[in-house]
Amino acid sequence: MAQCVQSVQEFIQDSFVPMVAVLCSEHAEQVTRKNNLNFSELLRPFCRLTSEGHMRDPNNQVQVVKNLRISVNNVVTRPSVPTSGVHGPAQRRLLSEVVSACQPAEGGVANVIPAGDYDLNISATTPWFEAYRESFLQSMPASDHEFLNHYLACLLVVSSSEAVPVEQFLKLSQEQHRIQHNGEYTNPKWFIPNTLKYYVLLHDMSQGDEQRADSVYEDMKQRYGSQGCYLLKINSRTAAAGTDEQIPDPWSQYLNKSSLQISVNCLDNTHPLQLETAIDTPGSLDSLRAVAAETKTTTVYTGMVAGTSHGACLTLNDHDRLRLFIQEFTFRGLLPHIEKNIRQLNDQLVSRKGLSRSLFSATKKWFGGGKVPEKSIAELKNTSGLLYPPEAPELQIRKMADLCFLVQHYELAYSCYHTAKKDFLSDQAMLYAAGALEMAAVSAFLQGGAPRPYPAHYMDTAIQTYRDVCKNKVLAERCALFSAEVLKSQAKYSDAATLLIKMTCEDSDLCSALLLEQAAHCFINMRNPMVRKFAFHMILAGHRFSKAGQKRHALRCYCQAMQVYKGKGWSLAEDHINFTIGRQSFTLRQPENAVSAFRHILTNDSQQTSTQQGAFLREYLYVYRVTHSQYTKTR
């Protein structure tokens, strides 16, 4: 696989972070809207902590939490969407737009990999794959079989300009309770019944009465405790500061990429190693004429609305206040809340199981061994639809495991996942079992000092269960993305490539193209690079990119594969690649490259049939004529 900006540890940690909801009063929203941001967007660039946090586990041992990131989002209530296990049209469109927007930079960094007689010029990174992966994970809906994407806390935000701020806090608190407990809404999902409520008084420095805000805050500390509330002062920048002062805008990179356009339609529906044998087949001269006649919109990423600035009323001191607020909320509110719930869950589980020691201290006794049952997944009864009641002991173990994982206590998390896995398998609750297997494998990998090897067979079983028993391809893909990264980090490129290839399917051309491309990178990064497998899978990736409408990515894949086939005597393969490069280049309005590629098909002694040679010649002449007429018009 290509190099990634993040390490695999950072990637997995950032994929599962504590979720925090936001409920704002109308006046509070007006205060943040001065910066063209809502409250959750205002906090987003400052949600990664720069200092260490500390908490104690059930054995009273100090656990250090490093580089923690939290996710803050507005509460959005919507009807429950059936989890079919496949992406819907909107998600597919989003993922396609994300990949389209991320193209190789001109003159970007490339690796030159010597392999036998080859010096291959290959992309050092594949940011389009990382962008797809990030959007894929963020678009996953919260599930009932796990709690990692459920909200742990809720920020209740009220403006200091309210007539009676405490009344507004009460209204927001009641609203949160109603959303969570009255059964009217199935979304959002909440981690525990006793959700942490954190009261935030938002003060607008540009027009509010600061003395009154301080007075209200003192009253709040009496009501909610100093650990449960915060006075956040923003909008310190005045008009007198002028427009010359340059304040950084850290928000743009976090806001949704909403102005993407999808254009060039799918043209190539043929097998990647099959050349057309007739003039009127799809992609032949008639198709090229149709492409030339169309009015095409190139895929361009324009970011947010032109001219929109963010944080215009904020100073650098306000940025520091936002950063400090997140730190105070996390260290004084969120982490103690998580610590308390881990202790409570541990005590409940100990009492229910009649144990004399905590789960943590019993780790060796319980988990000295134990493997997945010998019975194959295919033999297990399909009870993937089984649902446990919220108070079920099995779910409490899973809940405790997820809490421990979110605060980086991977050893205790592994112990809990392992126990939950055995309970779920004994009940043949296969969706729950697959989730526990997946997270047990990840927890084992993330443990400091690597006390136990990465259990790749856990991931393989989880993927097979998600895909074949639960019919949930989305969860299977998530599992495969994690496992492939872990295998790659351990230089097990052959295993990673096998896994990625196995996950390709006919349902999603885009996903298959990206996975095939990553598999190709695995083959070329092996100790003894497998050049031909690299080129072959690049061609397969290019074909699937083309079917997905990603013409630029398709052209890039074919060009990289061409380095292997060029001048090696594989004339039919070389003809196919040049033909496809020519056709893709013409589609992308690169006529010079198209003419050059078609010319290569005609210059050497051809082993094609006369019919195919005639088709090549006609396409070449047509492209040449179009190119020449365009050149004439520009003179």
Side-chain angles (χ1 to χ4, degrees), residues 343-557:
R343 286 180 177 275
Q344 290 177 350
L345 287 167
N346 183 74
D347 292 342
Q348 291 174 18
L349 295 170
V350 167
S351 63
R352 283 178 179 175
K353 290 181 175 289
L355 300 174
S356 58
R357 297 180 295 171
S358 72
L359 275 168
F360 186 45
S361 60
T363 298
K364 289 186 179 179
K365 174 182 174 183
W366 292 349
F367 315 121
K371 297 182 179 179
V372 179
E374 295 297 328
K375 187 185 291 187
S376 70
I377 293 299
E379 295 176 301
L380 291 169
K381 190 172 85 174
N382 183 3
T383 52
S384 58
L386 174 66
L387 291 176
Y388 289 95
E391 66 279 359
E394 294 86 355
L395 282 192
Q396 304 312 305
I397 297 176
R398 172 67 203 234
K399 194 172 290 188
M400 179 173 169
D402 287 347
L403 280 175
C404 293
F405 188 91
L406 291 173
V407 293
Q408 304 171 10
H409 198 333
Y410 301 119
E411 186 173 355
L412 181 52
Y414 174 83
S415 301
C416 296
Y417 286 128
H418 202 291
T419 298
K421 177 262 298 183
K422 294 198 292 185
D423 290 343
F424 293 140
L425 283 174
S426 67
D427 293 340
Q428 293 195 20
M430 300 312 297
L431 179 61
Y432 294 89
L437 281 166
E438 175 187 8
M439 296 311 298
V442 171
S443 299
F445 171 73
L446 290 175
Q447 287 183 45
R452 53 176 59 86
Y454 170 64
H457 62 288
Y458 277 18
M459 278 295 201
D460 294 339
T461 305
I463 292 170
Q464 185 182 357
T465 306
Y466 279 141
R467 186 180 57 194
D468 300 337
V469 178
C470 306
K471 308 300 181 185
N472 195 313
K473 295 181 180 179
V474 173
L475 289 172
E477 184 180 340
R478 181 185 75 176
C479 206
L481 290 174
F482 290 141
S483 191
E485 284 297 327
V486 172
L487 293 170
K488 182 189 78 168
S489 72
Q490 298 176 339
K492 297 178 180 178
Y493 291 107
S494 179
D495 293 341
T498 301
L499 173 60
L500 292 165
I501 294 168
K502 189 185 300 183
M503 290 305 299
T504 60
C505 62
E506 293 301 318
D507 294 338
S508 173
D509 289 313
L510 179 61
C511 172
S512 297
L514 290 162
L515 297 182
L516 287 166
E517 183 182 13
Q518 293 304 307
H521 279 281
C522 287
F523 287 125
I524 205 64
N525 281 306
M526 295 173 67
R527 179 176 297 179
N528 296 314
M530 304 180 75
V531 181
R532 294 183 188 179
K533 281 197 172 184
F534 161 78
F536 179 72
H537 286 86
M538 271 296 183
I539 290 175
L540 295 177
H543 175 65
R544 298 303 290 270
F545 271 129
S546 182
K547 289 182 68 177
Q550 302 283 343
K551 301 299 183 183
R552 293 183 185 277
H553 287 300
L555 178 58
R556 174 183 49 76
C557 288

Side-chain angles (χ1 to χ4, degrees), residues 569-572 574-575 599-609 613 616:
W570 295 320
S571 60
L572 294 180
E574 194 172 344
D575 283 353
R599 187 183 294 127
H600 277 93
I601 304 176
L602 303 173
T603 51
N604 297 323
D605 295 335
S606 177
Q607 297 183 22
Q608 303 286 349
T609 63
Q613 290 181 55
F616 286 163

